[in-house]
């Protein structure tokens, strides 16, 4: 059944095409249900393809490490037969692509369903679902691509769709600016992707992932380092790592389902996927892996500090996403690729849940997003509250919920790294404590305490199309950790499934005592963060104004500094460059044109159009020639 893989991206593309042609005529809610059906169909065929892959695996288990039967390539057509460059429009079915496709289509379908209710009454209802289907198609092309060029097609697609969806309510200046910010920032990452592709192709002569994996061990260390750092630049753009994180917090300007789609199910996971997919290249450069780990740890801590002082319910979650992505990069830099993908999956569950839960709160409060004007909503929005609490405990790292298992595996991998491994672990642990604190603060401000909303607001529970996805995601966030449990015999399902795709997966060397000890420390940190939040935000025993310094509220003034530079010296510099271009570059070109015109005007009188003038000229010329020859003869 793996031959049906083409239907996975084809169905969202078909939904996009129908909505493009007939969306306004379908209207609300039929346009939403059509888009949701296309996404659900894609998820169904992902399950079918996944089952086919498992069949291939069992049929060839034991031969060549089981690798040959755990991969299938579906070539749609020959795309670029240009000299030495041969690129097929081909899809790759293997454990990594199927893992990504399963949660992309699964969580994406729930977001589509949620949007049917959330976007009720929007004048651009059908256009929203048109963009959402195109977004899903682009992400599926990205993760299913058999080579870097097909992946780049999807890579650019999700970048374009993020612009369209983040700025969907472009009548708001903040939304229009946020869309442009995301688009421009991601172009920097795209530069890294393209240069890395060119470098790998010129060195190894291929852009297919199979060819790159086979040739990567032969790469010179310098070449591998350069390619890996360029891939890091690409991934930092899509997955919002320092210093290219600035677009993601502003992505909350789009409708809340967009936030969930971008932050949980699609775009931000693209960078993590790219690095894990090209793990053979990364493994050829230990220095590049160290840089990736440092960038991830720094981003995780930086964004967690920013999240503790935000007041917008979605902005807290946005900085939380940046921080959790930092964990994934820390895992990749530690060589723990399975842990990175494990956290990608669990994060899709609990962060999708938290964003959709925040959207339910905003919907119930009449578009209010400031947590200081909420409180006590657990009694009026019980389904939203209960499911949000599950997401809170999962991301806080409270066992046995999913977030604990994936985060703990990353911390253990960091601990085992040589040189600065203990420092990276400490940064990750502090980040875990901060995560538990700021997510507890958010939960308490929104759902506990007394009423702080305006009397004109009438909080109410969301409709079933919105609450059903919350319930399903809450269940996944609660039990999702069972796919990779290190303490239950050999229940490492995800690790064994991904093994054929990973060249040099980190092998944990710590004994059981060390593992249990580190896990207990992480649990204590999580419970400590929750306890501190209880004392500050529920019991009011700690002055909360001291917990929200202006430095953290303004995110270390990074964004404002960039804005001030771009709006001040940056604008003046660009204007000066434009002036220089007009004066010197255009001036030189126009100057040559003026010179030619002047010469033409100077010789124009010689072309009068009268035959007698031309005859006289010939005669005079002949006389001059005769005189000149005569004089030469005399001499």
């Amino acid at each position: 059944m793996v031959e049906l893989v083409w239907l996975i991206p084809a169905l969202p593309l078909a939904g996009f095409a129908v909505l493009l042609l007939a969306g306004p005529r379908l209207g609300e809610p039929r346009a939403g249900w059509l888009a949701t059906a296309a996404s659900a169909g894609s998820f169904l065929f992902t399950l079918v393809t996944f089952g086919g892959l498992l069949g291939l695996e069992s049929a060839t288990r034991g031969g060549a490490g089981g690798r040959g039967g755990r991969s299938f390539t579906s070539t749609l057509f020959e795309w670029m037969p240009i000299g030495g460059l041969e690129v097929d429009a081909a899809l790759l079915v293997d454990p990594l692509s199927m893992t990504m496709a399963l949660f992309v289509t699964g969580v994406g379908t729930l977001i589509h369903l949620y949007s049917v209710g959330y976007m009720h009454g929007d004048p651009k209802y059908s256009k929203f679902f048109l963009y959402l289907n195109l977004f899903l198609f682009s992400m599926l092309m990205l993760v299913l691509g058999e080579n870097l060029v097909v992946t780049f097609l999807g890579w650019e697609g999700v970048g374009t769709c993020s612009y369209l969806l983040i700025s969907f309510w472009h009548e708001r200046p903040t939304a229009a600016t946020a869309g442009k910010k995301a688009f421009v920032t991601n172009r920097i990452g795209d530069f890294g992707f393209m240069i890395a592709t060119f470098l790998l192709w010129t060195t190894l002569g291929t852009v297919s992932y199979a060819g790159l994996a086979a040739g990567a061990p032969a790469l010179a260390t310098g070449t591998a380092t350069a390619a890996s750092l360029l891939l890091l630049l690409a991934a930092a753009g899509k997955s919002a790592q320092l210093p290219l994180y600035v677009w993601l917090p502003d992505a909350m300007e789009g409708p809340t389902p967009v936030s969930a789609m971008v932050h949980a199910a699609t775009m931000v996971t693209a960078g993590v996927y790219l690095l894990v997919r090209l793990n053979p290249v990364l493994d050829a450069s230990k220095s590049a892996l160290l840089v990736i780990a440092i960038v991830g740890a720094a981003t995780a801590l930086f964004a967690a500090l920013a999240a503790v002082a935000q007041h917008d319910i979605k902005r807290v979650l946005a900085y939380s996403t940046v921080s959790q992505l930092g964990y994934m990069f820390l895992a990749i830099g530690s060589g723990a690729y399975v842990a990175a993908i494990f956290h990608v999956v669990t994060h899709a569950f609990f962060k999708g849940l938290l964003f959709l839960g925040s959207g339910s709160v905003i919907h119930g409060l009449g578009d209010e997003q400031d947590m200081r004007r909420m409180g006590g909503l657990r009694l009026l929005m019980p389904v939203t509250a209960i499911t949000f609490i599950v997401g809170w405990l999962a991301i806080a790292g409270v066992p046995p919920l999913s977030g604990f298992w994936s985060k703990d595996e990353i911390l253990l991998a960091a601990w085992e790294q040589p040189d600065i491994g203990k420092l990276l672990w400490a940064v990750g642990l502090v980040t875990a404590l901060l995560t538990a604190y700021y997510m507890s603060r958010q939960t308490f401000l929104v759902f506990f305490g007394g009423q702080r909303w305006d009397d004109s607001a009438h909080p109410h529970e969301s409709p079933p199309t919105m609450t059903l996805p919350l319930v399903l995601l809450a269940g996944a966030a609660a039990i999702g950790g069972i796919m990779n449990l290190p303490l239950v015999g050999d229940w490492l399902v995800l690790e064994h499934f991904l093994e054929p795709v990973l060249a040099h997966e980190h092998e944990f060397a710590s004994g059981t005592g060390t593992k249990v000890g580190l896990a207990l420390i992480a649990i204590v940190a999580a419970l400590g963060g929750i306890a501190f939040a209880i004392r500050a935000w529920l019991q009011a025993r700690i002055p909360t104004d001291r917990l929200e310094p202006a430095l953290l509220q303004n995110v270390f003034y990074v964004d404002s500094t960039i804005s001030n530079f771009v709006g001040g010296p940056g604008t003046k510099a660009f204007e000066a460059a434009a002036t220089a271009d007009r004066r010197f570059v255009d001036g030189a070109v126009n100057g040559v044109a003026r010179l030619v015109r002047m010469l033409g005007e100077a010789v124009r009188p010689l072309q009068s159009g009268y035959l007698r003038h031309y005859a006289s000229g010939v005669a005079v010329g002949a006389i001059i020639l005769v005189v000149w020859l005569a004089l030469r003869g005399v001499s």
Side-chain angles (χ1 to χ4, degrees):
M1 301 299 287
V2 289
E3 295 84 359
L4 297 177
V5 62
W6 64 274
L7 285 170
I8 298 175
L11 289 175
L13 182 61
F16 162 77
V18 173
L19 290 172
L20 181 65
L21 297 173
R25 289 196 295 273
L26 288 173
E28 182 186 347
R30 287 180 294 179
W33 286 116
L34 172 67
T36 303
S39 179
S42 181
F43 176 60
L44 175 62
F45 279 103
T46 303
L47 289 174
V48 171
T49 306
F50 174 70
L53 178 65
L54 293 180
L56 290 177
E57 174 191 354
S58 61
T60 59
R61 188 183 298 274
R67 295 174 184 266
R70 299 187 73 174
S71 177
F72 174 80
T73 299
S74 174
T75 302
L76 305 179
F77 55 87
E78 189 179 44
W79 190 7
M80 298 182 186
I82 307 171
L85 176 63
E86 295 183 2
V87 179
D88 291 332
L91 304 179
L92 175 63
V93 179
D94 71 357
L96 180 57
S97 65
M98 281 296 98
T99 300
M100 297 293 294
L102 279 169
F103 82 79
V104 167
T105 55
V107 177
T109 298
L110 295 179
I111 294 172
H112 275 74
L113 176 61
Y114 178 95
S115 302
V116 172
Y118 188 88
M119 297 302 292
H120 171 65
D122 194 284
K124 297 184 291 184
Y125 186 88
S126 64
K127 181 178 288 188
F128 178 82
F129 284 96
L130 178 147
Y131 291 159
L132 214 57
N133 263 190
L134 183 61
F135 203 171
L136 185 60
F137 162 75
S138 299
M139 188 63 189
L140 288 170
M141 291 302 295
L142 191 157
V143 300
L144 291 173
E146 184 270 343
N147 55 71
L148 281 168
V149 179
V150 177
T151 292
F152 189 68
L153 174 68
W155 186 275
E156 288 299 286
V158 295
T160 301
C161 292
S162 69
Y163 166 74
L164 295 172
L165 286 167
I166 292 170
S167 59
F168 185 75
W169 288 326
H170 55 82
E171 300 85 358
R172 305 176 183 176
T174 52
T177 300
K180 290 183 288 186
K181 193 173 186 179
F183 190 82
V184 171
T185 305
N186 274 275
R187 298 291 74 74
I188 300 173
D190 294 349
F191 171 80
F193 192 117
M194 289 188 292
I195 301 300
T197 301
F198 299 154
L199 177 60
L200 291 172
W201 175 65
T202 55
T203 305
L204 299 177
T206 181
V207 292
S208 73
Y209 293 124
L212 293 173
L219 285 173
T221 302
T223 303
T225 300
S228 298
L229 294 180
L230 287 167
L231 292 170
L232 171 61
L233 175 61
K238 276 290 185 287
S239 296
Q241 298 296 284
L242 289 172
L244 300 180
Y245 77 93
V246 293
W247 69 271
L248 191 56
D250 288 347
M252 49 159 277
E253 291 292 342
T256 298
V258 173
S259 301
M261 198 76 165
V262 170
H263 289 248
T266 57
M267 185 167 170
V268 297
T269 64
V272 179
Y273 166 78
L274 178 68
L275 293 180
V276 174
R277 171 60 75 187
L278 292 173
N279 67 90
V281 177
L282 303 185
D283 285 326
S285 174
K286 300 305 178 186
S287 57
L289 285 173
L290 179 60
V291 172
I292 294 171
I294 292 173
V295 169
T299 302
L301 180 59
F302 174 88
L305 287 169
V308 303
Q310 303 304 309
H311 297 130
D312 188 298
I313 185 173
K314 288 171 65 177
R315 191 168 288 274
V316 173
L317 297 176
Y319 279 108
S320 171
T321 297
V322 177
S323 182
Q324 296 302 306
L325 288 166
Y327 269 121
M328 299 170 202
F329 277 69
L330 174 58
I332 292 170
S334 301
Y337 304 110
V338 171
I341 296 299
F342 188 19
H343 203 57
V344 164
V345 177
T346 60
H347 179 263
F349 296 152
F350 60 68
K351 186 54 62 66
L353 168 62
L354 291 169
F355 261 112
L356 296 185
S358 71
S360 182
V361 170
I362 295 168
H363 180 271
L365 276 177
D367 294 331
E368 179 60 68
Q369 294 187 201
D370 193 329
M371 297 186 299
R372 293 170 295 185
R373 292 194 285 270
M374 297 182 184
L377 293 177
R378 71 187 187 282
L379 301 177
L380 300 172
M381 306 178 68
V383 177
T384 300
I386 293 172
T387 53
F388 196 96
I389 287 171
V390 172
W392 155 47
L393 296 176
I395 193 175
V398 175
L401 281 79
S402 61
F404 165 75
W405 301 105
S406 56
K407 172 186 62 66
D408 194 60
E409 192 168 333
I410 294 172
L411 292 177
L412 178 59
W415 173 271
E416 294 189 350
Q417 295 309 298
D419 302 324
I420 63 171
K422 302 300 186 293
L423 176 60
L424 295 174
W425 171 84
V427 171
L429 183 67
V430 172
T431 301
L433 187 150
L434 291 172
T435 302
Y437 164 74
Y438 69 69
M439 287 306 304
S440 301
R441 166 183 174 266
Q442 181 180 54
T443 303
F444 299 153
L445 283 173
V446 174
F447 295 105
F448 293 84
Q451 170 187 333
R452 296 188 301 277
W453 67 81
D454 191 283
D455 289 334
S456 61
H458 301 284
H460 57 277
E461 188 60 273
S462 298
T465 54
M466 295 173 64
T467 55
L468 177 59
L470 295 180
V471 173
L472 295 175
L473 285 171
I479 66 172
I482 62 174
M483 69 181 73
N484 217 55
L485 294 178
L487 301 179
V488 184
D490 189 29
W491 192 257
L492 300 173
V493 178
L494 183 64
E495 179 177 331
H496 295 321
F497 181 61
L498 292 176
E499 182 180 352
V501 186
L502 306 176
H504 299 95
E505 169 67 12
H506 175 75
E507 296 183 3
F508 293 102
S510 299
T512 302
T514 301
K515 293 178 180 178
V516 173
L518 293 176
L520 290 175
I521 293 173
I523 293 172
V524 170
L527 296 179
I530 295 172
F532 186 82
I534 290 174
R535 291 180 62 82
W537 299 99
L538 281 185
Q539 300 174 348
R541 296 184 180 181
I542 301 174
T544 56
D545 55 335
R546 299 180 181 179
L547 303 177
E548 299 176 344
L551 180 67
L552 299 185
Q553 286 189 39
N554 292 282
V555 196
F556 302 96
Y557 299 99
V558 173
D559 203 51
S560 58
T561 300
I562 295 174
S563 298
N564 291 335
F565 172 78
V566 172
T571 299
K572 292 179 180 178
F574 288 125
E575 290 175 347
T579 300
D581 181 71
R582 287 193 301 270
R583 290 182 178 177
F584 298 106
V585 179
D586 290 349
V589 174
N590 294 333
V592 172
R594 283 194 296 269
L595 178 60
V596 172
R597 185 172 65 242
M598 291 171 59
L599 292 173
E601 291 175 349
V603 300
R604 181 184 299 172
L606 299 177
Q607 299 294 326
S608 64
Y610 293 108
L611 183 60
R612 59 181 178 271
H613 290 171
Y614 299 149
S616 299
V618 170
V620 171
I623 293 171
I624 293 173
L625 181 60
V626 169
V627 172
W628 179 70
L629 291 173
L631 291 175
R632 288 195 60 180
V634 172
S635 61

